[in-house]
Amino acid sequence: MNVLVTGGAGYIGSHAVKQLVEAGHNVFVIDNLCMGHRAAVHQDATFYELDIRETEALTEILKKNNIEVVMHFAALAVVGDSVTDPISYYDNNTLGSLSLLKAINAADIKKLVFSSTCATYGEPEEVPIVETCPQSPINPYGTSKLVFEFILKDYAHANPDFAYAALRYFNVAGSAEDGTIGEDHSPESHLIPVILNTVLGKREKIIIFGTDYPTPDGTCIRDYIHVQDLISAHITVMNALQPGDNRFYNLGIGNGLSVKEIIDATKAVTGVDFKVEIGDRREGDPPALYANPTKIKSELDWSAKYTDVKPIIETAWNWFKNNPNGYNDK
Ligand code: UDP
């Protein structure tokens, strides 16, 4: 299939491009390179440096390449930043996605797989989280994604032959098993890469954001899914989409781990001890988010291969130790 990947130079998008190319698809990438890396894009994909808010140029690319399906990853994705800079989050994530949908509409494309988030659930009343759990985000990042879920629902209602899936990710971690691509954000804020930068001595310490949460060890609980599993789920969903489909799936492994447990697992994987400090809570962080992943298993027979966090951290560590300066392009 001819697949357009937005944000295909970013961490998750670049893994999608690689797996789609390896599965034999013709892959086209757009990315504004504000966070992404040109070197992360598989050499067999066609690359356009473009912002998703450029509706007309985007429409041309979709038409010219006879795109059949869009995988939409391009977004800002740092919860804390969304609290301090909501305008950028609504501009990039919500208005950017609307711009993409306008182009999809103009080019008459019938399939979209959208990268949504468990942050749309806010502070869920019950964990593990099922897809029917009320969505009430507690940070602008979650809201910026949820608004586009609403937009898609209305667009699909008005266009009955359009098919889409909103995939609500939990915490994505790890890197390609062959070591060719990995995670490189600057600045880095996500837990596992921050810890690995500390292991490498690039940071002096890791600060735990709050130890007074209502969880067994007082630190926040999250569900860490390997990036390759996440993308294999996208490809399974893409292949299953039929006209009129509105699909929603949680993508997690269903296992909640605390910040302290992740720190201990990383010490075990790397064999390196490092300085850990207790800090204040970070605004916008819900205490516990982990998935009930049974819906995608029962409907599409998909489940994650990586069910334990240590092998996930091992793949991340493999990338970090071999690429201590990441892609070295910023
Ligand atoms: N976290 C932390 N210290 C850090 C980075 C993250 O304690 O330096 C915590 C954060 O508060 C959250 C969890 O680790 O509870 C995962 O955070 P991350 O930013 O990786 O992902 P998020 O859950 O915000 O999408």
Side-chain angles (χ1 to χ4, degrees):
M1 270 198 282
N2 296 333
V3 186
L4 180 91
V5 179
T6 74
Y11 165 48
I12 298 173
S14 62
H15 285 80
V17 171
K18 174 173 157 54
Q19 280 172 245
L20 285 163
V21 166
E22 287 170 357
H25 297 288
N26 295 321
V27 184
F28 302 84
V29 173
I30 69 155
D31 198 298
N32 66 6
L33 296 181
C34 82
M35 297 294 287
H37 307 274
R38 180 67 184 85
V41 180
H42 194 286
Q43 60 184 16
D44 293 349
T46 305
F47 180 76
Y48 297 95
E49 185 172 343
L50 186 74
D51 192 293
I52 50 171
R53 289 164 290 191
E54 306 254 3
T55 315
E56 278 176 28
L58 196 49
T59 307
E60 279 316 300
I61 290 171
L62 292 172
K63 284 184 178 166
K64 188 171 92 185
N65 296 300
N66 298 314
I67 299 297
E68 297 163 88
V69 53
V70 174
M71 277 198 192
H72 175 33
F73 298 94
L76 299 177
V78 177
V79 168
D81 289 354
S82 79
V83 175
T84 53
D85 184 11
I87 287 178
S88 290
Y89 276 70
Y90 290 115
D91 195 14
N92 275 273
N93 296 3
T94 312
L95 299 182
S97 297
L98 181 62
S99 162
L100 173 66
L101 189 60
K102 285 180 187 168
I104 284 174
N105 185 51
D108 202 25
I109 287 163
K110 300 296 184 201
K111 290 181 183 176
L112 172 69
V113 180
F114 170 52
S115 145
S116 189
T117 170
C118 65
T120 60
Y121 294 116
E123 286 190 29
E125 279 165 22
E126 276 179 26
V127 283
I129 300 170
V130 290
E131 286 80 352
T132 48
C133 172
Q135 288 173 291
S136 183
I138 62 161
N139 52 58
Y141 170 61
T143 310
S144 73
K145 292 277 187 172
L146 181 58
V147 172
F148 193 58
E149 283 200 18
F150 290 150
I151 292 171
L152 280 175
K153 187 164 163 251
D154 292 341
Y155 179 78
H157 180 73
N159 296 275
D161 55 350
F162 179 72
Y164 77 96
L167 304 181
R168 299 178 187 144
Y169 309 168
F170 286 69
N171 289 55
V172 187
S175 51
E177 282 156 359
D178 66 6
T180 52
I181 52 173
E183 185 165 11
D184 178 10
H185 298 114
S186 63
E188 187 53 80
S189 68
H190 294 294
L191 181 62
I192 292 173
V194 164
I195 300 175
L196 292 174
N197 281 332
T198 313
V199 170
L200 287 171
K202 293 175 69 184
R203 298 173 67 108
E204 187 213 333
K205 62 192 173 196
I206 159 91
I207 300 174
I208 300 181
F209 296 146
T211 51
D212 58 349
Y213 284 97
T215 59
D217 68 17
T219 67
C220 285
I221 290 176
R222 296 288 182 273
D223 181 345
Y224 295 83
I225 179 171
H226 194 280
V227 64
Q228 283 193 187
D229 278 334
L230 186 93
I231 301 307
S232 89
H234 281 67
I235 295 175
T236 300
V237 169
M238 177 184 88
N239 290 336
L241 280 180
Q242 295 298 325
D245 273 359
N246 295 215
R247 291 178 180 264
F248 304 89
Y249 296 113
N250 286 338
L251 294 183
I253 63 175
N255 186 19
L257 292 169
S258 73
V259 174
K260 280 186 178 164
E261 286 173 315
I262 294 292
I263 290 173
D264 289 344
T266 312
K267 283 185 178 170
V269 165
T270 60
V272 175
D273 201 3
F274 45 85
K275 190 169 165 193
V276 179
E277 203 172 280
I278 310 293
D280 292 337
R281 288 184 179 199
R282 184 175 69 179
E283 211 182 335
D285 273 346
L289 294 172
Y290 56 99
N292 176 331
T294 52
K295 184 169 183 245
I296 188 164
K297 170 73 184 157
S298 61
E299 291 188 7
L300 299 178
D301 196 26
W302 182 89
S303 56
K305 276 198 312 182
Y306 285 84
T307 53
D308 180 27
V309 81
K310 278 188 190 156
I312 297 179
I313 297 173
E314 265 164 31
T315 65
W317 176 226
N318 183 39
W319 160 260
F320 272 79
K321 72 177 176 222
N322 290 322
N323 302 274
N325 297 314
Y327 292 100
N328 213 2
D329 59 350
K330 300 251 169 176

